[in-house]
Amino acid sequence: MKNEGEMANRPDNTAFTQQRLPAWQPVLSAGIVIPGFVLIGLAFIGIGVALFVTSQKIQVLETDYTGAEQGSPCYDCRDTSVPCVCRVNFSLSKLFEGPVFFYYGLSNYFQNYRQYGSSRDDDQLSGYTSAFTSPSETCAPYQYNSQKKPIVPCGSVANSMFNDSFKLYHVVNGQPRPVPLDGKGIAWWTDYNIKYRNPTVNGTLASAFADTVKPINWPRPAYDLDTTDPSNNGFQNQDFIVWMRRAALPNFRKLYRRITEGDYANGLPAGNYTLEITYNYPVLAFDGRKKVVFSNVSWMGGKNQFLGIAYLVIGSLCIVMSVVMLIVYAKYKFPEDEL
Amino acid sequence: MLRRRLNRLLGGDENRVDSRTIYVGHQPCSATEGFTPPKFCDNRIVSSKYTLWNFLPKNLFEQFRRIANFYFLIIFLVQVIVDTPTSPVTSGLPLFFVITVTAIKQGYEDWLRHKADNEVNKYPVRVLEDGRQTSKESEKIKVGDIVEVIEDETFPCDLILLQSSREDDTCFVTTASLDGESNHKTHYTVPDTEKDLESLSATIECEQPQPDLYKFVGRMHIYKPDQDPLVRSLGPENLLLKGATLKNTKKIYGVAVYTGMETKMALNYQGKSQKRSAVEKSINAFLLVYLCILVSKALVCTSLKYWWQSRDGQDEPWYNQKTQKEKDTNMYLKMFTDFLSFMVLFNFIIPVSMYVTVEMQKFLGSFFISWDKDFFDPEIREGALVNTSDLNEELGQVEYVFTDKTGTLTQNNMEFIECCIDGFQYKYRDSRTELDGFCVTDGPVSKLQQKAGREKEELFLRALCLCHTVQVKEAGSQVDGDQVDGLDHLNPHPEEEERGFIASSPDEVALVKGAMKYGFTFLGLESKNMKIRNRQNDVEEYELLHVLNFDPVRRRMSVIVKSKAGETLLFCKGADSSIFPRVRQEEVERIRMHVERNATEGYRTLCVAFKQLSAEEFALADAELREARLALQDREEKLMAVYNQVETGMSLIGATAVEDRLQEEAAETMEALQGAGMKVWVLTGDKMETAKSTCYACRLFQRGTELLELTVRTLEEGGRKREERLHDLLLEYHRRAVQDAPPVKGGVTRSWSTANQDYGFIIDGATLSLIMNPSLDASSSRHKNLFLQICQNCTAVLCCRMAPLQKAQIVKMVKNSKGSPITLSIGDGANDVSMILEAHVGIGIKGKEGRQAVRNSDYAIPKLKHLKKLLLAHGHLYYVRIAHLVQYFFYKNLCFILPQFLYQFFCGYSQQPLYDAAYLTMYNICFTSMPILAYSLLEQHITIEVLLDNATLYREVAKNAMLRWGPFLYWTVLGVFQGLLFFFGAWFLFSNPALQDNGQVFGNWSYGTIVFTVLVFTVTLKLALDTRHWTWINHFVIWGSLAFYVFFSFFWGGIIWPFLKQQRLYFVFANMLSSVSAWLVIILLILLSLMPDILLAVLRRPKSPRARQKIPGQSSAGGTQSSRSSARPLLMRTFSDESNTVI
């Protein structure tokens, strides 16, 4: 009886309740940290060198075609009330290795503006026709047009889709020869194949868009975006999807085309080129700039010096730190450690 | 007190309000002018806070009264009303979670209270009604009902005992559930009530309910048909309290006087005032800083936004037209809503989850105290008790320890050591060496081997046998083991039946047992007759006429008895200071020496005196006593006056010395506390000499300690006015202890090897009141200041002759002194309650003086020795844990929100969140909460053994070291550094958003996800770096959290969620992982963020004490201890050596 009572009140003698769980008690000592830093430093320098070299090897060709300055090729097109075509010439002194990626870039363009970013209706883009008749509130002021007809795709993002178009000509013997541009595979695979869906009504895409209107700024409705490839229409249009993925920063570039076909699969050979631009997209009103970028990519993506340099700096910093620590320890700390 | 005086001034009319009249059995009394049943509350006990109906509104109201909850509610409402960047769900969900969990917890607790209430309220009781016994539910008892209670039942309300089944008209009760005293108390029926309760016609007039358990005054008028009404006084001895249990008595009848919420138990049921810990104050200070950061961030963003928009073309570019509504909104209103939006966007910097985690840490953490088996005491079969978990970390911050002496430093386990009869010392050695068990040792006239006369001896022993309130425990109930003392085995008369004594004070038992050793045995009290067996084995009987109870003001008690021979005798025992003035001076001189010597040896001394009352004297005293007892008003004062009058002109017959042993390891504990930098003050009601010797024994005073005494004795030495002398002494001590002392005692204050003089300070209650409440003197505050400064420079302070209130006064004084040090009070008795409540941390010892201290304490431990582990190990660890928890929480939310703030500069100040809503919500709830919770429960940066061995480690965290502005700044800078790194690392990377080898580009959600991934990994690994104690739980939660984050991100991005309006994160995480650059930048940023911490850890570590690596067999404390014990003065022989062997 007595014993029972005693046991009932006595605290459990387990490792947990007595705070005696077996524990690993690591100590960050110089003996671990200094060699660790050296190793990390060396590894980082290695990676840094690889990154730097890779980045250096990437060829980039950038051309601003905004036409803000007098004398620049597209100066006359800067007022875009009328469709306008301008040409930018450039020459390559050596082979621009392929596959070549063709980007367009915008600056001082706030695609990451909050109200802008939320001005879309993902239900529409997923192909739910119910959202066609009543677009989301967030799309305002591009929810309905002035006749109260629903806009599909609604919202600022879709409405402001980039609509300059480019043609690239290789000037061979004074004759322009078109370079085939590949519009496939420029958007994320999952976006193109899963996230963005076209509605299916009565077989044809166009009938699904009945009783809706195209976005105000668009020249053609969504089901007729790509005149050359009928399967690249509606929301499942590569250019549209690329545009709809909002850029993170106000200066950004987006993939336009890839050059992977024909004679240019191995790259753009040295020579003169003409870029024919159909200038539609106004940017000067908000002090923006437009550019085109030709670049090839490596395993690390496009050209970016930052990573390589950062790795080199941090790697060397680690080495320096370990040397400093070694000196400090040699001078002050070792006698104590030996105790 | 004040009210009573007021009432006295206001006179008669008020008196009626102060008392209530009860008609016993609801019978109208002939003498009264018509029967009007008075209204009293019913007998329902309501301890629950809520009902089913008001639970929701009341609970919500109470929860939102907390400033933090209110803040989050405001944020939530702003999100609902204003167009904000994040959905209301992000802050609503956590808030809802917190509120729900709290509501469920409180609801459950209240349900338990309801259940307990119902159990009490629906308990069937038997009530006498119209001569019949009816059964009722307890809650239906009305004032005036006559209630029957049988053995082992608890009383359903406060009753006046009318009839008992015992022949001597008494009953026994235990009040264990009220004040924890488990001894049997005797209660008496009202005399002269009729045996037939049906025909009893009486009224009771008594005071209005008041919470004091031990006070009750009333008067009973008994009406008999053919007589004048009888008046009988009622006192606490007639009152049976609700909650007490009837023992040893078959059944009783009582009349209900106080019911329901007016019972003394209910009046005593009150929540204690909330104590707030220093950590909580730090949290609030930091919170304020972060609130300022939050507001200034929002302000900066708002103003920058409008500045930026004022520039050409930036306000409304063609691609981002405003809606008509936006255009129409007033500019200032827009600014305001923008400001609110920014607030909402950045509000995560002050997380709801911190409060939840802190609460959880405190609640769960406190279990480790009650689970600790080192706190388990096999004797009382109990471990430590945690009454509040809010103060765990305060245990690691204690600077001043105020300890009671009796029962705390000492065991309150009394043993009769010696006595002195008529100036001759009697020391008991062994009953068998001398026939009569007496042995005379070195008395003042020891050479003559004299003894006091036989007459005197026997008188003295009779006095010991008669002058007490001890009860003999009936043989049947002996097995309970309820004896107050455990000294039965010392009984020198094995032929004697084992006798249990029950008394409210262990001294009395020791004295009765002492008398027994010398041949006088107290046999018990039977119907007012005290029986003792004298040395000749004859039974002597004395009629007990009056007991003049002990009280701490008089410090003595008396009995008046009538012997068989017809003599009326008064025996009195009490403290020397209260007896000496009341006896003849020549007698005093003979005994004073003994008393003082006994006191210096650490014994508790009592003087015994007697006087013979003549018939007239007794008649006078008897009348006065009865009158005073009947008084309804100021009964105490009147009784006191009569007592003082009766207890005069006595003759001193002797003195006793009772030893109170030191608690186990008391000295070691005190030493450890001082080594930890705490200042120990002993506050006791005991005599200076006794207390001083205890201090020496506990090694609070060392041989080298210079004692500064400030007592009535030193004040009277100079022969000048007390005030002047006090002033001079204070100045002198101040010069010695404060001015001459080396300015700063760095590191170890108490170094025994150095020439540093230690000072001990002694003050008594009378002098203290001179200092605290001086007679209209301008120098008053100066005195107090001087006193405080002296005390703060002394290693130990002894305050003796303290009243309970003075103890609290001292604690309060120190608590409010400069730097507001953290105070801890430890005590075991009711007289320590005030100081336990006053101090920052109150510790109760589960001792012998009832449970009042335990009930009012924040923590209760069985023994003093447990204090060492409680403070040095638990307190230290809790402090480190919670301090780290708080700092870490602020840090992790700073580097969580800073990138979001920086992002505003790159998104046109449009309140674009950097992270997805799911990440915003889950960051604090799921991804980073568990590792820190596990850390804050399990971390032992130094193992418990090392902490216990090296008391000085406690100083490392003293004065809130880890939560001061320095460390806070460090954490903040770290958070800012990492936040900048996360954001700009990703920013540089995104200078070219084509990060995949297929040339595709990343968008803003990829940007946010990269930053977020770096963030989650960095803060978790930062915690991993700080963890010094990796149990499997730590491994599990740290790696588990990271794995969960990765898993969640895949899952969240892997499905098109039908309930989401925007599929923002669809395959973002997976795409990110397919990019080598993203991997590389994540690794780089994590490493770079952690580098400062690694470097700091390496460079700082060697400076920390060697003790961190435990070297077995070399505990430094052990070393000093052994060297010191030899140096201890001889005086302490009895205490510590014995206490060492007790274990």
Side-chain angles (χ1 to χ4, degrees), chain A residues 112-274:
Chain A
N112 57 9
Y113 207 82
R114 177 167 69 88
Q115 283 84 356
Y116 176 84
S118 55
S119 180
R120 60 192 280 167
D121 187 343
D122 277 18
D123 283 347
Q124 285 187 349
L125 303 177
S126 296
Y128 297 113
T129 38
S130 57
F132 280 35
T133 45
S134 56
S136 162
E137 281 287 320
T138 54
C139 285
Y142 303 108
Q143 191 181 7
Y144 297 98
N145 71 354
S146 46
Q147 282 89 45
K148 297 285 167 211
K149 287 236 179 174
I151 298 173
V152 178
C154 72
S156 304
V157 190
N159 184 53
S160 63
M161 182 176 158
F162 187 73
N163 56 1
D164 284 1
S165 56
F166 307 94
K167 281 180 184 142
L168 183 64
Y169 296 99
H170 185 198
V171 184
V172 187
N173 306 326
Q175 289 300 311
R177 182 178 154 198
V179 177
L181 299 176
D182 179 8
K184 294 248 164 52
I186 56 173
W188 289 13
W189 188 90
T190 48
D191 283 358
Y192 189 76
N193 291 291
I194 302 165
K195 188 171 164 184
Y196 290 82
R197 304 308 302 159
N198 279 330
T200 44
V201 175
N202 300 336
T204 63
L205 189 58
S207 57
F209 284 84
D211 290 327
T212 66
V213 293
K214 64 178 177 66
I216 290 154
N217 287 352
W218 285 22
R220 284 184 301 277
Y223 52 83
D224 202 18
L225 267 180
D226 192 341
T227 45
T228 56
D229 180 3
S231 68
N232 191 29
N233 267 320
F235 305 132
Q236 280 169 292
N237 173 282
Q238 297 270 3
D239 287 321
F240 176 67
I241 293 171
V242 166
W243 180 255
M244 292 303 279
R245 181 157 293 281
R246 297 157 59 207
L249 297 169
N251 301 330
F252 60 88
R253 60 173 77 161
K254 283 178 187 283
L255 190 54
Y256 183 68
R257 293 289 182 267
R258 298 185 301 160
I259 302 168
T260 54
E261 291 164 27
D263 300 339
Y264 303 96
N266 292 326
L268 298 174
N272 291 323
Y273 291 84
T274 301

Side-chain angles (χ1 to χ4, degrees), chain A residues 11 13 18-20 24 103 110 112-114 122 142 187-188 195 246 248 282 300 302-304 311 329, chain B residues 318-321 371 373 881 903 906 910-911 940 945 989 992 994 999-1000 1004 1030 1063 1071 1077 1080 1098:
Chain A
N13 187 12
Q18 301 309 316
Q19 305 195 57
R20 283 183 208 289
W24 171 53
Y103 299 89
F110 287 83
N112 57 9
Y113 207 82
R114 177 167 69 88
D122 277 18
Y142 303 108
W188 289 13
K195 188 171 164 184
R246 297 157 59 207
M300 59 168 283
K303 190 181 179 88
N304 193 344
Y311 263 86
Y329 266 78
Chain B
W318 65 265
Y319 58 85
N320 187 24
Q321 298 286 322
W371 280 339
K373 72 173 165 44
R881 289 167 184 174
Y903 192 55
F906 300 93
S910 59
Q911 303 120 21
Q940 292 176 33
E945 289 78 24
L989 186 74
N992 181 357
Q1000 291 170 0
N1004 66 324
W1030 285 80
Q1063 313 293 338
N1071 261 309
S1077 294
L1080 287 176
V1098 174

Side-chain angles (χ1 to χ4, degrees), chain B residues 600-659:
Chain B
T600 28
E601 285 180 12
Y603 300 141
R604 295 159 75 90
T605 57
L606 285 176
C607 293
V608 183
F610 100 108
K611 113 173 168 183
Q612 195 160 353
L613 296 169
S614 64
E616 300 85 59
E617 277 175 319
F618 173 71
L620 183 67
D622 186 48
E624 281 177 346
L625 281 169
R626 278 177 200 281
E627 188 191 335
R629 279 199 186 135
L630 276 182
L632 262 184
Q633 295 287 315
D634 308 324
R635 184 185 284 178
E636 281 79 29
E637 282 87 340
K638 282 179 188 159
L639 274 176
M640 194 79 70
V642 179
Y643 287 168
N644 284 338
Q645 199 184 326
V646 175
E647 290 163 336
T648 45
M650 301 179 288
S651 53
L652 190 63
I653 44 179
T656 58
V658 170
E659 183 189 349

Side-chain angles (χ1 to χ4, degrees), chain B residues 73-344:
Chain B
L73 181 69
I74 294 291
I75 292 285
F76 173 71
L77 290 180
V78 168
Q79 278 179 314
V80 171
I81 296 161
V82 182
D83 167 41
T84 54
T86 54
S87 88
V89 176
T90 51
S91 70
L93 200 68
L95 183 67
F96 178 75
F97 176 76
V98 169
I99 297 288
T100 316
V101 167
T102 317
I104 288 173
K105 183 179 151 241
Q106 289 178 350
Y108 175 70
E109 282 170 358
D110 207 56
W111 180 70
L112 287 184
R113 280 194 288 265
H114 268 289
K115 229 172 77 169
D117 285 354
N118 268 342
E119 211 164 279
V120 173
N121 289 338
K122 304 283 184 220
Y123 190 82
V125 292
R126 289 160 306 284
V127 176
L128 281 187
E129 241 168 30
D130 307 326
R132 286 178 296 110
Q133 203 185 44
T134 49
S135 191
K136 269 192 186 182
E137 283 175 351
S138 166
E139 62 181 352
K140 302 227 167 90
I141 294 178
K142 293 191 292 289
V143 170
D145 280 349
I146 295 175
V147 182
E148 181 196 275
V149 180
I150 57 169
E151 187 166 1
D152 292 329
E153 264 186 342
T154 54
F155 300 111
C157 57
D158 290 354
L159 301 169
I160 292 288
L161 180 58
L162 293 177
Q163 207 179 75
S164 164
S165 65
R166 287 175 69 94
E167 278 169 16
D168 54 0
D169 285 341
T170 60
C171 75
F172 291 101
V173 301
T174 67
T175 51
S177 57
L178 284 173
D179 57 6
E181 292 175 26
S182 57
N183 55 337
H184 292 188
K185 296 194 179 76
T186 318
H187 286 249
Y188 302 92
T189 55
V190 184
D192 305 317
T193 52
E194 292 184 46
K195 288 289 155 225
D196 185 10
L197 289 175
E198 285 165 46
S199 59
L200 174 71
S201 164
T203 58
I204 291 171
E205 215 178 303
C206 60
E207 58 185 354
Q208 289 295 351
Q210 57 146 322
D212 191 330
L213 293 178
Y214 309 106
K215 274 191 187 146
F216 175 74
V217 281
R219 199 160 32 189
M220 189 162 178
H221 301 265
I222 303 166
Y223 304 97
K224 298 202 173 165
D226 44 355
Q227 288 171 5
D228 281 345
L230 290 170
V231 180
R232 291 287 171 265
S233 74
L234 303 174
E237 71 277 4
N238 304 114
L239 185 70
L240 305 170
L241 299 177
K242 180 185 175 82
T245 312
L246 185 67
K247 290 281 178 193
N248 267 357
T249 314
K250 286 234 168 50
K251 72 178 176 186
I252 60 112
Y253 289 97
V255 57
V257 283
Y258 303 129
T259 48
M261 298 313 286
E262 290 179 345
T263 56
K264 287 183 184 285
M265 185 180 91
L267 291 173
N268 271 287
Y269 179 82
Q270 270 153 4
K272 281 177 290 170
S273 65
Q274 278 281 309
K275 291 182 182 177
R276 288 198 332 157
S277 75
V279 168
E280 224 175 308
K281 285 170 201 156
S282 296
I283 294 179
N284 286 343
F286 297 164
L287 213 62
L288 220 60
V289 173
Y290 270 67
L291 209 63
C292 289
I293 293 179
L294 174 64
V295 171
S296 51
K297 270 183 179 177
L299 275 177
V300 164
C301 281
T302 315
S303 42
L304 279 177
K305 175 176 180 158
Y306 284 87
W307 168 79
W308 181 76
Q309 283 186 350
S310 70
R311 288 182 357 186
D312 220 23
Q314 301 303 340
D315 183 24
E316 200 181 352
W318 65 265
Y319 58 85
N320 187 24
Q321 298 286 322
K322 288 178 183 166
T323 57
Q324 196 56 42
K325 211 176 112 202
E326 273 178 297
K327 284 178 189 159
D328 294 344
T329 321
N330 179 294
M331 161 96 164
Y332 294 101
L333 187 66
K334 249 188 332 195
M335 276 185 171
F336 182 65
T337 53
D338 270 325
F339 173 75
L340 288 181
S341 294
F342 280 118
M343 289 280 283
V344 167

Side-chain angles (χ1 to χ4, degrees), chain B residues 1089-1104:
Chain B
S1089 309
L1090 294 177
M1091 214 187 280
D1093 259 332
I1094 299 175
L1095 286 179
L1096 220 62
V1098 174
L1099 294 177
R1100 197 162 51 177
R1101 194 193 61 85
K1103 281 184 213 152
S1104 60

